[in-house]
Amino acid sequence: MRIQLNPKLVVSIVYVTAMFMAAMDGTIVNVALPAISNEFQIPPTATSGINVGYLVSIAVFLPMAGWLGDRFGTKRIFLIALSIFTFASVLCGFASNLQTLNLFRVFQGAGGGLLTPVGMAMLFRMFSPEERPKVSRSLVFPIAIAPALGPIIGGVLVEQLSWRWVFYINLPLGIVALLFGFLFLIEHKEPAAGPIDLPGFLLSAPGFSMLMYALIQGSSQGWSSPVILGTGICGLILVCILVLVELRVEKPMLDLRLLSDRLFRTMSIISLFAVAGLVGILFIFPLMYQNTINASALESGLIIFPEALGLMLASRLMPWSYKKLGGRQVISIGLLCSILVFVLLSMVGPETNSWFLRFLFFNIGFFLGHAVVAVQFLTFNNITPASMGRATTLFNVQNRIASALGVVVLASLLGVFGTSTSANGIEQPLLAAYQFTVLGSAAFLLVGLFFALGIRNADVAAAVPKQSPAQTSDMGSIVKASE
């Protein structure tokens, strides 16, 4: 006899498990790079390709995720993507040299590129706009906890076992999510998905991959490098042509016409700058803390970890805050308070108390968490179920670019102002330059705040209709079970 489970509970469990894997992978691998460098007897700079290949592969496959889910079914594509990601993780652990590891990371990126937008489409199709404020708490779990746990778990695995276990750890999680999803997920296809947008794919694949490569490698190879200039300019030209083509195609792979909806457009812009600021501070602060205060990687990870706790608390309180203050005020106040915390972080020095730093990161999670969670469920409020797959794809593409943008801008600032040459000719990091770079991440949030202040109350007030007691009770039990 087939067991019947609440489909909303099923989607929440599978999505959270898969996103936990993907989100943790983004930080856990970085801890293992020095060990990989030692075992393969290669210079540390050569390990950059391990992440570059992964991110470029994501950029290639991400734009087509929405169409694949609509055309062949979200359950099928999601489970295929999860299988690829899990199997490639095991292959990465078995890699015998840098070349095969880079190849398997490209394979892993293909699964990761499809995983997030298809999973998000399943989630937002399953839950109505009335339910999304509370289900957003499910989304916060993998987004908040996994990246924060990555450096801590990675450090323990590398020290106690080997670097290969930062990849093997995905196997048990992947198997559980695959079995549960195969047995209980419900298939969904869009009859009007249409044929593949071949011109869009042929433009987006090389365009986004070259643009991402230039952005990721520009600060290390130098922006004047012929390779960086060539790939960056070619990628930008192809992306510009892609925009023109997609606006004329009846069934585009990247449906840019969705941006004509004012709420979707505004929330997407705010999300872009919020993501760039958050990723930027999580990138630059560990460098500052380790290079100028001589802390270990584990110590810096423990300093940042309270950010995840603040984000989870914000996710629990955000529905109440939204009801009391309204969407415009929640997002604006969250961004403003986060900017103030970023400014305080820019004043950090060797004498700064570590518990004060943990308190600051907790507040980043709490205040920015309110803004991010509110933006996340408001973004898709006016999107129809038929357009949800392409809307989540577009949203994830721009957030992926935002992540690269946050790192690129801050790394470039640090490259310009970050070092001085000592008497023995060795470059030493400058604390003042790091502090200035932290302010650069605050500048991203400031631009997001500018757009948040322009939100129309009528748009967000209509976004969350009053819930019935039955809906609230049912939704609460689903979210608790999924967490």
Side-chain angles (χ1 to χ4, degrees):
M1 183 177 71
R2 184 179 176 86
I3 300 175
Q4 297 293 326
L5 294 179
N6 188 320
K8 296 179 179 179
L9 172 62
V10 172
V11 170
S12 297
I13 291 175
V14 174
Y15 178 83
V16 166
T17 305
M19 290 305 102
F20 187 91
M21 292 169 53
M24 187 169 64
D25 186 82
T27 57
I28 196 173
V29 174
N30 291 334
V31 178
L33 294 181
I36 295 172
S37 173
N38 290 334
E39 180 169 329
F40 291 160
Q41 296 184 343
I42 55 176
T45 53
T47 61
S48 63
I50 296 172
N51 284 332
V52 171
Y54 176 77
L55 294 173
V56 169
S57 180
I58 285 179
V60 171
F61 288 94
L62 184 60
M64 62 188 304
W67 176 81
L68 286 173
D70 289 347
R71 178 68 176 82
F72 299 104
T74 50
K75 174 182 177 178
R76 177 182 300 175
I77 297 302
F78 184 82
L79 293 181
I80 289 174
L82 186 56
S83 300
I84 292 173
F85 187 89
T86 304
F87 181 58
S89 297
V90 177
L91 291 178
C92 288
F94 280 115
S96 58
N97 54 57
L98 181 64
Q99 290 72 30
T100 55
L101 179 56
N102 286 338
L103 177 63
F104 295 148
R105 281 287 278 172
V106 170
F107 189 34
Q108 189 184 27
L114 298 175
L115 204 58
T116 305
V118 176
M120 190 176 287
M122 289 195 305
L123 199 73
F124 281 108
R125 279 194 180 110
M126 186 61 65
F127 293 96
S128 68
E130 294 88 349
E131 297 169 317
R132 289 174 193 164
K134 291 194 173 184
V135 79
S136 293
R137 298 185 299 191
S138 306
L139 303 181
V140 166
F141 180 76
I143 293 171
I145 293 296
L149 283 177
I152 300 173
I153 294 176
V156 173
L157 291 176
V158 171
E159 290 181 9
Q160 301 299 322
L161 297 171
S162 81
W163 64 264
R164 299 179 186 276
W165 282 91
V166 304
F167 296 106
Y168 292 152
I169 195 174
N170 289 330
L171 183 60
L173 292 173
I175 290 176
V176 170
L178 280 168
L179 289 176
F180 196 79
F182 178 78
L183 292 174
F184 301 115
L185 276 179
I186 298 174
E187 187 62 280
H188 176 90
K189 296 182 181 180
E190 285 296 329
I196 187 172
D197 173 19
L198 188 59
F201 177 73
L202 294 177
L203 288 168
S204 68
F208 282 119
S209 60
M210 286 193 288
L211 188 60
M212 286 291 290
Y213 177 84
L215 289 174
I216 294 168
Q217 293 291 85
S219 59
S220 60
Q221 294 189 20
W223 294 105
S224 60
S225 164
V227 174
I228 297 301
L229 281 176
T231 54
I233 292 173
C234 289
L236 186 59
I237 291 173
L238 289 174
V239 170
C240 290
I241 297 174
L242 173 68
V243 171
L244 297 176
V245 169
E246 296 297 80
L247 289 174
R248 290 167 171 78
V249 176
E250 183 179 354
K251 295 286 185 179
M253 185 171 59
L254 285 177
D255 194 354
L256 300 175
R257 287 185 287 265
L258 291 170
L259 294 172
S260 62
D261 179 85
R262 186 171 60 231
L263 183 61
F264 181 79
R265 181 177 64 250
T266 303
M267 293 300 119
S268 295
I269 293 172
I270 296 171
S271 176
L272 186 148
F273 288 102
V275 167
L278 178 59
V279 171
I281 195 69
L282 295 180
F283 161 73
I284 202 65
F285 185 83
L287 292 178
M288 179 174 74
Y289 199 62
Q290 293 176 57
N291 291 341
T292 66
I293 306 178
N294 298 320
S296 68
L298 180 59
E299 287 172 334
S300 65
L302 292 174
I303 290 292
I304 293 173
F305 183 75
E307 181 267 340
L309 302 180
L311 184 51
M312 291 197 69
L313 178 61
S315 72
R316 311 299 296 185
L317 294 178
M318 196 281 298
W320 178 86
S321 304
Y322 188 99
K323 182 179 179 181
K324 293 294 183 181
L325 300 174
R328 179 175 179 268
Q329 288 75 13
V330 166
I331 296 171
S332 299
I333 293 173
L335 290 173
L336 177 60
C337 292
S338 299
I339 292 170
L340 296 177
V341 177
F342 278 33
V343 171
L344 290 175
L345 280 174
S346 72
M347 304 175 185
V348 167
E351 70 286 350
T352 306
N353 184 277
S354 61
W355 283 104
F356 178 67
L357 292 176
R358 294 185 180 99
F359 173 73
L360 291 181
F361 272 97
F362 176 86
N363 279 282
I364 288 177
F366 182 77
F367 292 118
L368 197 54
H370 268 85
V372 168
V373 175
V375 165
Q376 192 166 46
F377 80 82
L378 284 171
T379 299
F380 303 101
N381 186 77
N382 297 338
I383 303 300
T384 64
S387 300
M388 191 61 72
R390 303 192 183 197
T392 55
T393 296
L394 184 60
F395 185 74
N396 278 279
V397 167
Q398 64 104 29
N399 276 356
R400 182 64 63 176
I401 294 174
S403 298
L405 187 65
V407 173
V408 165
V409 170
L410 298 192
S412 299
L413 287 175
L414 194 61
V416 173
F417 303 107
T419 57
S420 63
T421 304
S422 63
N424 57 8
I426 300 176
E427 289 189 337
Q428 302 291 341
L430 293 170
L431 176 60
Y434 279 108
Q435 292 171 331
F436 178 77
T437 307
V438 170
L439 291 177
S441 61
F444 282 117
L445 299 188
L446 187 61
V447 177
L449 177 61
F450 172 79
F451 284 96
L453 293 174
I455 295 173
R456 300 188 183 186
N457 283 324
D459 290 344
V460 294
V464 187
K466 185 176 180 180
Q467 299 181 34
S468 67
Q471 286 177 316
T472 303
S473 175
D474 179 60
M475 193 61 222
S477 62
I478 291 170
V479 173
K480 287 180 181 178
S482 68
E483 292 178 346

